[in-house]
Amino acid sequence: MSLRTEYPFTLPKGFVDDHGTLHRTGTMRLACARDEIEPLRDPRVKENDAYATVIVLARVVTELGTVPRVSTKTIESLFVSDFGYLQDLYRIINFQDPSILEAMEPGTPFPMESAEVA
């Protein structure tokens, strides 16, 4: 039995870059403790606790279309529905049973009970 550490995703709407290119598919990896600890040192988080989520997602989203590097600016520029989708995906792969992803159509919203932390 092997541990799966990366999960492909399809955003509901997609990220539009500065050139107008739409990026919908990507990959998120499992988070490690450092991914949740490091943002707490960031001055942006000290001003606004909610910004930690932006930093964490920028660390764990390893691919987004042909975007060369996913940064906090990239995450900040997502449509709200896509930002929420990535938050739900993060909770599912890190705290729930990611096998539910196998039965879902790419880009569809997660069932509410799947995205809740137990």
Side-chain angles (χ1 to χ4, degrees):
M1 184 171 144
S2 65
L3 176 64
R4 184 170 176 191
T5 60
E6 293 190 328
Y7 295 85
F9 63 82
T10 301
L11 295 174
K13 289 188 173 42
F15 169 69
V16 179
D17 67 19
D18 294 337
H19 305 290
T21 304
L22 179 67
H23 307 273
R24 288 192 65 212
T25 60
T27 305
M28 181 182 288
R29 67 170 173 78
L30 288 176
C32 63
R34 178 175 283 165
D35 293 320
E36 295 217 350
I37 294 168
E38 286 293 322
L40 301 177
R41 296 185 180 131
D42 192 294
R44 296 170 292 185
V45 174
K46 291 180 181 182
E47 290 178 24
N48 179 358
D49 290 343
Y51 199 77
T53 303
V54 172
I55 297 172
V56 170
L57 289 176
R59 293 174 66 102
V60 298
V61 174
T62 58
E63 293 177 23
L64 183 57
T66 59
V67 174
R69 181 180 163 270
V70 177
S71 66
T72 55
K73 182 182 179 216
T74 309
I75 301 299
E76 289 173 1
S77 300
L78 291 171
F79 295 111
V80 173
S81 60
D82 292 331
F83 182 73
Y85 181 89
L86 290 178
Q87 287 179 299
D88 289 346
L89 179 62
Y90 180 89
R91 282 190 287 271
I92 290 167
I93 69 171
N94 287 288
F95 302 108
Q96 301 292 331
D97 180 5
S99 67
I100 68 145
L101 301 173
E102 296 167 13
M104 295 186 61
E105 282 292 317
T108 58
F110 299 110
M112 287 300 269
E113 61 276 0
S114 300
E116 294 174 358
V117 176

PDB file of all heavy atoms in Angstrom, residues 63-91:
ATOM      1  N   GLU A  63       0.792  22.904  -9.264  1.00  0.00           N
ATOM      2  CA  GLU A  63       0.601  23.181 -10.690  1.00  0.00           C
ATOM      3  C   GLU A  63      -0.756  23.836 -10.885  1.00  0.00           C
ATOM      4  O   GLU A  63      -1.727  23.473 -10.219  1.00  0.00           O
ATOM      5  CB  GLU A  63       0.626  21.895 -11.513  1.00  0.00           C
ATOM      6  CG  GLU A  63       1.943  21.189 -11.550  1.00  0.00           C
ATOM      7  CD  GLU A  63       1.866  19.886 -12.339  1.00  0.00           C
ATOM      8  OE1 GLU A  63       0.958  19.740 -13.189  1.00  0.00           O
ATOM      9  OE2 GLU A  63       2.700  19.012 -12.087  1.00  0.00           O
ATOM     10  N   LEU A  64      -0.804  24.776 -11.822  1.00  0.00           N
ATOM     11  CA  LEU A  64      -2.059  25.375 -12.235  1.00  0.00           C
ATOM     12  C   LEU A  64      -1.920  25.738 -13.707  1.00  0.00           C
ATOM     13  O   LEU A  64      -1.305  26.755 -14.052  1.00  0.00           O
ATOM     14  CB  LEU A  64      -2.406  26.601 -11.396  1.00  0.00           C
ATOM     15  CG  LEU A  64      -3.739  27.272 -11.706  1.00  0.00           C
ATOM     16  CD1 LEU A  64      -4.898  26.281 -11.579  1.00  0.00           C
ATOM     17  CD2 LEU A  64      -3.966  28.459 -10.786  1.00  0.00           C
ATOM     18  N   GLY A  65      -2.444  24.855 -14.553  1.00  0.00           N
ATOM     19  CA  GLY A  65      -2.313  25.058 -15.998  1.00  0.00           C
ATOM     20  C   GLY A  65      -0.850  25.216 -16.372  1.00  0.00           C
ATOM     21  O   GLY A  65      -0.001  24.432 -15.950  1.00  0.00           O
ATOM     22  N   THR A  66      -0.566  26.281 -17.131  1.00  0.00           N
ATOM     23  CA  THR A  66       0.814  26.545 -17.542  1.00  0.00           C
ATOM     24  C   THR A  66       1.433  27.697 -16.754  1.00  0.00           C
ATOM     25  O   THR A  66       2.463  28.242 -17.160  1.00  0.00           O
ATOM     26  CB  THR A  66       0.881  26.863 -19.050  1.00  0.00           C
ATOM     27  OG1 THR A  66       0.061  28.006 -19.323  1.00  0.00           O
ATOM     28  CG2 THR A  66       0.429  25.682 -19.893  1.00  0.00           C
ATOM     29  N   VAL A  67       0.818  28.049 -15.625  1.00  0.00           N
ATOM     30  CA  VAL A  67       1.379  29.097 -14.768  1.00  0.00           C
ATOM     31  C   VAL A  67       2.732  28.600 -14.278  1.00  0.00           C
ATOM     32  O   VAL A  67       2.824  27.508 -13.710  1.00  0.00           O
ATOM     33  CB  VAL A  67       0.436  29.396 -13.577  1.00  0.00           C
ATOM     34  CG1 VAL A  67       1.082  30.365 -12.602  1.00  0.00           C
ATOM     35  CG2 VAL A  67      -0.901  29.925 -14.072  1.00  0.00           C
ATOM     36  N   PRO A  68       3.808  29.381 -14.510  1.00  0.00           N
ATOM     37  CA  PRO A  68       5.137  28.889 -14.146  1.00  0.00           C
ATOM     38  C   PRO A  68       5.334  28.659 -12.648  1.00  0.00           C
ATOM     39  O   PRO A  68       6.027  27.743 -12.236  1.00  0.00           O
ATOM     40  CB  PRO A  68       6.093  29.972 -14.646  1.00  0.00           C
ATOM     41  CG  PRO A  68       5.268  31.084 -15.139  1.00  0.00           C
ATOM     42  CD  PRO A  68       3.838  30.679 -15.145  1.00  0.00           C
ATOM     43  N   ARG A  69       4.704  29.500 -11.817  1.00  0.00           N
ATOM     44  CA  ARG A  69       4.844  29.349 -10.367  1.00  0.00           C
ATOM     45  C   ARG A  69       3.574  29.875  -9.717  1.00  0.00           C
ATOM     46  O   ARG A  69       3.178  31.013  -9.939  1.00  0.00           O
ATOM     47  CB  ARG A  69       6.046  30.149  -9.867  1.00  0.00           C
ATOM     48  CG  ARG A  69       6.277  30.023  -8.389  1.00  0.00           C
ATOM     49  CD  ARG A  69       7.504  30.847  -7.931  1.00  0.00           C
ATOM     50  NE  ARG A  69       7.468  31.024  -6.498  1.00  0.00           N
ATOM     51  CZ  ARG A  69       6.871  32.037  -5.880  1.00  0.00           C
ATOM     52  NH1 ARG A  69       6.247  32.966  -6.571  1.00  0.00           N
ATOM     53  NH2 ARG A  69       6.879  32.134  -4.578  1.00  0.00           N
ATOM     54  N   VAL A  70       2.955  29.046  -8.885  1.00  0.00           N
ATOM     55  CA  VAL A  70       1.757  29.477  -8.163  1.00  0.00           C
ATOM     56  C   VAL A  70       2.226  30.281  -6.950  1.00  0.00           C
ATOM     57  O   VAL A  70       2.966  29.778  -6.113  1.00  0.00           O
ATOM     58  CB  VAL A  70       0.895  28.269  -7.729  1.00  0.00           C
ATOM     59  CG1 VAL A  70      -0.305  28.731  -6.919  1.00  0.00           C
ATOM     60  CG2 VAL A  70       0.438  27.480  -8.946  1.00  0.00           C
ATOM     61  N   SER A  71       1.801  31.527  -6.895  1.00  0.00           N
ATOM     62  CA  SER A  71       2.209  32.426  -5.818  1.00  0.00           C
ATOM     63  C   SER A  71       0.981  32.894  -5.041  1.00  0.00           C
ATOM     64  O   SER A  71      -0.158  32.588  -5.406  1.00  0.00           O
ATOM     65  CB  SER A  71       2.923  33.642  -6.414  1.00  0.00           C
ATOM     66  OG  SER A  71       1.993  34.407  -7.182  1.00  0.00           O
ATOM     67  N   THR A  72       1.220  33.673  -3.996  1.00  0.00           N
ATOM     68  CA  THR A  72       0.096  34.246  -3.258  1.00  0.00           C
ATOM     69  C   THR A  72      -0.711  35.170  -4.166  1.00  0.00           C
ATOM     70  O   THR A  72      -1.937  35.226  -4.055  1.00  0.00           O
ATOM     71  CB  THR A  72       0.562  35.002  -2.002  1.00  0.00           C
ATOM     72  OG1 THR A  72       1.528  35.988  -2.364  1.00  0.00           O
ATOM     73  CG2 THR A  72       1.149  34.048  -0.975  1.00  0.00           C
ATOM     74  N   LYS A  73      -0.053  35.852  -5.084  1.00  0.00           N
ATOM     75  CA  LYS A  73      -0.777  36.719  -6.031  1.00  0.00           C
ATOM     76  C   LYS A  73      -1.727  35.890  -6.894  1.00  0.00           C
ATOM     77  O   LYS A  73      -2.847  36.305  -7.181  1.00  0.00           O
ATOM     78  CB  LYS A  73       0.212  37.487  -6.907  1.00  0.00           C
ATOM     79  CG  LYS A  73      -0.473  38.425  -7.872  1.00  0.00           C
ATOM     80  CD  LYS A  73       0.513  39.153  -8.760  1.00  0.00           C
ATOM     81  CE  LYS A  73      -0.262  40.046  -9.718  1.00  0.00           C
ATOM     82  NZ  LYS A  73       0.282  40.154 -11.013  1.00  0.00           N
ATOM     83  N   THR A  74      -1.270  34.708  -7.302  1.00  0.00           N
ATOM     84  CA  THR A  74      -2.111  33.809  -8.090  1.00  0.00           C
ATOM     85  C   THR A  74      -3.358  33.425  -7.283  1.00  0.00           C
ATOM     86  O   THR A  74      -4.478  33.530  -7.787  1.00  0.00           O
ATOM     87  CB  THR A  74      -1.345  32.520  -8.466  1.00  0.00           C
ATOM     88  OG1 THR A  74      -0.092  32.856  -9.056  1.00  0.00           O
ATOM     89  CG2 THR A  74      -2.149  31.653  -9.414  1.00  0.00           C
ATOM     90  N   ILE A  75      -3.156  33.009  -6.058  1.00  0.00           N
ATOM     91  CA  ILE A  75      -4.275  32.587  -5.204  1.00  0.00           C
ATOM     92  C   ILE A  75      -5.209  33.759  -4.939  1.00  0.00           C
ATOM     93  O   ILE A  75      -6.435  33.614  -4.983  1.00  0.00           O
ATOM     94  CB  ILE A  75      -3.766  31.954  -3.887  1.00  0.00           C
ATOM     95  CG1 ILE A  75      -2.876  30.727  -4.167  1.00  0.00           C
ATOM     96  CG2 ILE A  75      -4.934  31.595  -2.978  1.00  0.00           C
ATOM     97  CD1 ILE A  75      -3.549  29.583  -4.894  1.00  0.00           C
ATOM     98  N   GLU A  76      -4.656  34.949  -4.688  1.00  0.00           N
ATOM     99  CA  GLU A  76      -5.470  36.149  -4.461  1.00  0.00           C
ATOM    100  C   GLU A  76      -6.335  36.486  -5.672  1.00  0.00           C
ATOM    101  O   GLU A  76      -7.395  37.084  -5.532  1.00  0.00           O
ATOM    102  CB  GLU A  76      -4.579  37.356  -4.173  1.00  0.00           C
ATOM    103  CG  GLU A  76      -3.892  37.349  -2.848  1.00  0.00           C
ATOM    104  CD  GLU A  76      -2.894  38.493  -2.722  1.00  0.00           C
ATOM    105  OE1 GLU A  76      -2.751  39.306  -3.667  1.00  0.00           O
ATOM    106  OE2 GLU A  76      -2.233  38.571  -1.673  1.00  0.00           O
ATOM    107  N   SER A  77      -5.882  36.119  -6.858  1.00  0.00           N
ATOM    108  CA  SER A  77      -6.568  36.472  -8.099  1.00  0.00           C
ATOM    109  C   SER A  77      -7.628  35.465  -8.522  1.00  0.00           C
ATOM    110  O   SER A  77      -8.294  35.665  -9.536  1.00  0.00           O
ATOM    111  CB  SER A  77      -5.539  36.635  -9.225  1.00  0.00           C
ATOM    112  OG  SER A  77      -4.617  37.658  -8.899  1.00  0.00           O
ATOM    113  N   LEU A  78      -7.784  34.386  -7.774  1.00  0.00           N
ATOM    114  CA  LEU A  78      -8.788  33.382  -8.111  1.00  0.00           C
ATOM    115  C   LEU A  78     -10.193  33.938  -7.886  1.00  0.00           C
ATOM    116  O   LEU A  78     -10.413  34.779  -7.010  1.00  0.00           O
ATOM    117  CB  LEU A  78      -8.628  32.140  -7.231  1.00  0.00           C
ATOM    118  CG  LEU A  78      -7.397  31.278  -7.461  1.00  0.00           C
ATOM    119  CD1 LEU A  78      -7.292  30.221  -6.372  1.00  0.00           C
ATOM    120  CD2 LEU A  78      -7.431  30.640  -8.831  1.00  0.00           C
ATOM    121  N   PHE A  79     -11.138  33.450  -8.663  1.00  0.00           N
ATOM    122  CA  PHE A  79     -12.537  33.757  -8.384  1.00  0.00           C
ATOM    123  C   PHE A  79     -12.886  33.111  -7.045  1.00  0.00           C
ATOM    124  O   PHE A  79     -12.317  32.087  -6.660  1.00  0.00           O
ATOM    125  CB  PHE A  79     -13.440  33.208  -9.495  1.00  0.00           C
ATOM    126  CG  PHE A  79     -13.205  33.880 -10.816  1.00  0.00           C
ATOM    127  CD1 PHE A  79     -12.617  33.189 -11.866  1.00  0.00           C
ATOM    128  CD2 PHE A  79     -13.559  35.206 -11.008  1.00  0.00           C
ATOM    129  CE1 PHE A  79     -12.393  33.805 -13.086  1.00  0.00           C
ATOM    130  CE2 PHE A  79     -13.334  35.838 -12.229  1.00  0.00           C
ATOM    131  CZ  PHE A  79     -12.746  35.136 -13.266  1.00  0.00           C
ATOM    132  N   VAL A  80     -13.830  33.706  -6.334  1.00  0.00           N
ATOM    133  CA  VAL A  80     -14.190  33.222  -4.997  1.00  0.00           C
ATOM    134  C   VAL A  80     -14.602  31.752  -5.021  1.00  0.00           C
ATOM    135  O   VAL A  80     -14.225  30.981  -4.129  1.00  0.00           O
ATOM    136  CB  VAL A  80     -15.303  34.106  -4.384  1.00  0.00           C
ATOM    137  CG1 VAL A  80     -15.809  33.518  -3.077  1.00  0.00           C
ATOM    138  CG2 VAL A  80     -14.792  35.515  -4.159  1.00  0.00           C
ATOM    139  N   SER A  81     -15.346  31.340  -6.037  1.00  0.00           N
ATOM    140  CA  SER A  81     -15.771  29.934  -6.096  1.00  0.00           C
ATOM    141  C   SER A  81     -14.568  29.000  -6.242  1.00  0.00           C
ATOM    142  O   SER A  81     -14.562  27.901  -5.677  1.00  0.00           O
ATOM    143  CB  SER A  81     -16.765  29.706  -7.231  1.00  0.00           C
ATOM    144  OG  SER A  81     -16.179  30.036  -8.477  1.00  0.00           O
ATOM    145  N   ASP A  82     -13.552  29.416  -6.976  1.00  0.00           N
ATOM    146  CA  ASP A  82     -12.352  28.589  -7.139  1.00  0.00           C
ATOM    147  C   ASP A  82     -11.524  28.563  -5.856  1.00  0.00           C
ATOM    148  O   ASP A  82     -10.970  27.527  -5.478  1.00  0.00           O
ATOM    149  CB  ASP A  82     -11.511  29.092  -8.309  1.00  0.00           C
ATOM    150  CG  ASP A  82     -12.189  28.892  -9.646  1.00  0.00           C
ATOM    151  OD1 ASP A  82     -12.985  27.939  -9.776  1.00  0.00           O
ATOM    152  OD2 ASP A  82     -11.934  29.678 -10.561  1.00  0.00           O
ATOM    153  N   PHE A  83     -11.447  29.703  -5.178  1.00  0.00           N
ATOM    154  CA  PHE A  83     -10.744  29.768  -3.888  1.00  0.00           C
ATOM    155  C   PHE A  83     -11.414  28.828  -2.886  1.00  0.00           C
ATOM    156  O   PHE A  83     -10.749  28.037  -2.216  1.00  0.00           O
ATOM    157  CB  PHE A  83     -10.748  31.215  -3.380  1.00  0.00           C
ATOM    158  CG  PHE A  83     -10.012  31.411  -2.092  1.00  0.00           C
ATOM    159  CD1 PHE A  83      -8.624  31.365  -2.040  1.00  0.00           C
ATOM    160  CD2 PHE A  83     -10.703  31.664  -0.923  1.00  0.00           C
ATOM    161  CE1 PHE A  83      -7.940  31.559  -0.850  1.00  0.00           C
ATOM    162  CE2 PHE A  83     -10.034  31.862   0.280  1.00  0.00           C
ATOM    163  CZ  PHE A  83      -8.647  31.807   0.320  1.00  0.00           C
ATOM    164  N   GLY A  84     -12.730  28.870  -2.820  1.00  0.00           N
ATOM    165  CA  GLY A  84     -13.476  27.978  -1.927  1.00  0.00           C
ATOM    166  C   GLY A  84     -13.286  26.520  -2.297  1.00  0.00           C
ATOM    167  O   GLY A  84     -13.168  25.649  -1.429  1.00  0.00           O
ATOM    168  N   TYR A  85     -13.246  26.245  -3.610  1.00  0.00           N
ATOM    169  CA  TYR A  85     -13.031  24.876  -4.094  1.00  0.00           C
ATOM    170  C   TYR A  85     -11.681  24.349  -3.599  1.00  0.00           C
ATOM    171  O   TYR A  85     -11.578  23.226  -3.112  1.00  0.00           O
ATOM    172  CB  TYR A  85     -13.099  24.862  -5.621  1.00  0.00           C
ATOM    173  CG  TYR A  85     -12.908  23.509  -6.239  1.00  0.00           C
ATOM    174  CD1 TYR A  85     -13.992  22.666  -6.462  1.00  0.00           C
ATOM    175  CD2 TYR A  85     -11.649  23.061  -6.617  1.00  0.00           C
ATOM    176  CE1 TYR A  85     -13.830  21.417  -7.039  1.00  0.00           C
ATOM    177  CE2 TYR A  85     -11.469  21.812  -7.195  1.00  0.00           C
ATOM    178  CZ  TYR A  85     -12.561  21.000  -7.403  1.00  0.00           C
ATOM    179  OH  TYR A  85     -12.395  19.760  -7.964  1.00  0.00           O
ATOM    180  N   LEU A  86     -10.637  25.175  -3.711  1.00  0.00           N
ATOM    181  CA  LEU A  86      -9.310  24.740  -3.265  1.00  0.00           C
ATOM    182  C   LEU A  86      -9.260  24.562  -1.751  1.00  0.00           C
ATOM    183  O   LEU A  86      -8.602  23.640  -1.254  1.00  0.00           O
ATOM    184  CB  LEU A  86      -8.236  25.723  -3.731  1.00  0.00           C
ATOM    185  CG  LEU A  86      -7.955  25.723  -5.228  1.00  0.00           C
ATOM    186  CD1 LEU A  86      -6.905  26.780  -5.575  1.00  0.00           C
ATOM    187  CD2 LEU A  86      -7.516  24.354  -5.720  1.00  0.00           C
ATOM    188  N   GLN A  87      -9.965  25.410  -1.012  1.00  0.00           N
ATOM    189  CA  GLN A  87     -10.034  25.230   0.438  1.00  0.00           C
ATOM    190  C   GLN A  87     -10.696  23.893   0.781  1.00  0.00           C
ATOM    191  O   GLN A  87     -10.211  23.163   1.654  1.00  0.00           O
ATOM    192  CB  GLN A  87     -10.833  26.362   1.080  1.00  0.00           C
ATOM    193  CG  GLN A  87     -10.105  27.681   1.126  1.00  0.00           C
ATOM    194  CD  GLN A  87     -10.976  28.755   1.746  1.00  0.00           C
ATOM    195  OE1 GLN A  87     -12.043  29.075   1.231  1.00  0.00           O
ATOM    196  NE2 GLN A  87     -10.526  29.295   2.857  1.00  0.00           N
ATOM    197  N   ASP A  88     -11.786  23.586   0.098  1.00  0.00           N
ATOM    198  CA  ASP A  88     -12.472  22.308   0.338  1.00  0.00           C
ATOM    199  C   ASP A  88     -11.581  21.127  -0.037  1.00  0.00           C
ATOM    200  O   ASP A  88     -11.500  20.144   0.702  1.00  0.00           O
ATOM    201  CB  ASP A  88     -13.782  22.233  -0.449  1.00  0.00           C
ATOM    202  CG  ASP A  88     -14.855  23.160   0.092  1.00  0.00           C
ATOM    203  OD1 ASP A  88     -14.707  23.679   1.225  1.00  0.00           O
ATOM    204  OD2 ASP A  88     -15.844  23.381  -0.629  1.00  0.00           O
ATOM    205  N   LEU A  89     -10.914  21.219  -1.178  1.00  0.00           N
ATOM    206  CA  LEU A  89     -10.012  20.147  -1.605  1.00  0.00           C
ATOM    207  C   LEU A  89      -8.904  19.941  -0.563  1.00  0.00           C
ATOM    208  O   LEU A  89      -8.575  18.801  -0.210  1.00  0.00           O
ATOM    209  CB  LEU A  89      -9.413  20.455  -2.975  1.00  0.00           C
ATOM    210  CG  LEU A  89      -8.429  19.430  -3.524  1.00  0.00           C
ATOM    211  CD1 LEU A  89      -9.096  18.069  -3.733  1.00  0.00           C
ATOM    212  CD2 LEU A  89      -7.801  19.926  -4.826  1.00  0.00           C
ATOM    213  N   TYR A  90      -8.348  21.030  -0.069  1.00  0.00           N
ATOM    214  CA  TYR A  90      -7.311  20.957   0.965  1.00  0.00           C
ATOM    215  C   TYR A  90      -7.819  20.186   2.186  1.00  0.00           C
ATOM    216  O   TYR A  90      -7.139  19.302   2.710  1.00  0.00           O
ATOM    217  CB  TYR A  90      -6.879  22.374   1.352  1.00  0.00           C
ATOM    218  CG  TYR A  90      -5.810  22.422   2.410  1.00  0.00           C
ATOM    219  CD1 TYR A  90      -4.467  22.400   2.058  1.00  0.00           C
ATOM    220  CD2 TYR A  90      -6.128  22.494   3.760  1.00  0.00           C
ATOM    221  CE1 TYR A  90      -3.471  22.441   3.021  1.00  0.00           C
ATOM    222  CE2 TYR A  90      -5.144  22.538   4.734  1.00  0.00           C
ATOM    223  CZ  TYR A  90      -3.815  22.511   4.354  1.00  0.00           C
ATOM    224  OH  TYR A  90      -2.831  22.545   5.316  1.00  0.00           O
ATOM    225  N   ARG A  91      -9.023  20.546   2.652  1.00  0.00           N
ATOM    226  CA  ARG A  91      -9.594  19.868   3.822  1.00  0.00           C
ATOM    227  C   ARG A  91      -9.815  18.385   3.545  1.00  0.00           C
ATOM    228  O   ARG A  91      -9.537  17.542   4.399  1.00  0.00           O
ATOM    229  CB  ARG A  91     -10.907  20.537   4.234  1.00  0.00           C
ATOM    230  CG  ARG A  91     -10.713  21.825   5.001  1.00  0.00           C
ATOM    231  CD  ARG A  91     -12.017  22.330   5.588  1.00  0.00           C
ATOM    232  NE  ARG A  91     -12.920  22.870   4.587  1.00  0.00           N
ATOM    233  CZ  ARG A  91     -12.938  24.137   4.190  1.00  0.00           C
ATOM    234  NH1 ARG A  91     -12.087  24.998   4.694  1.00  0.00           N
ATOM    235  NH2 ARG A  91     -13.805  24.536   3.289  1.00  0.00           N
TER     236      ARG A  91
END
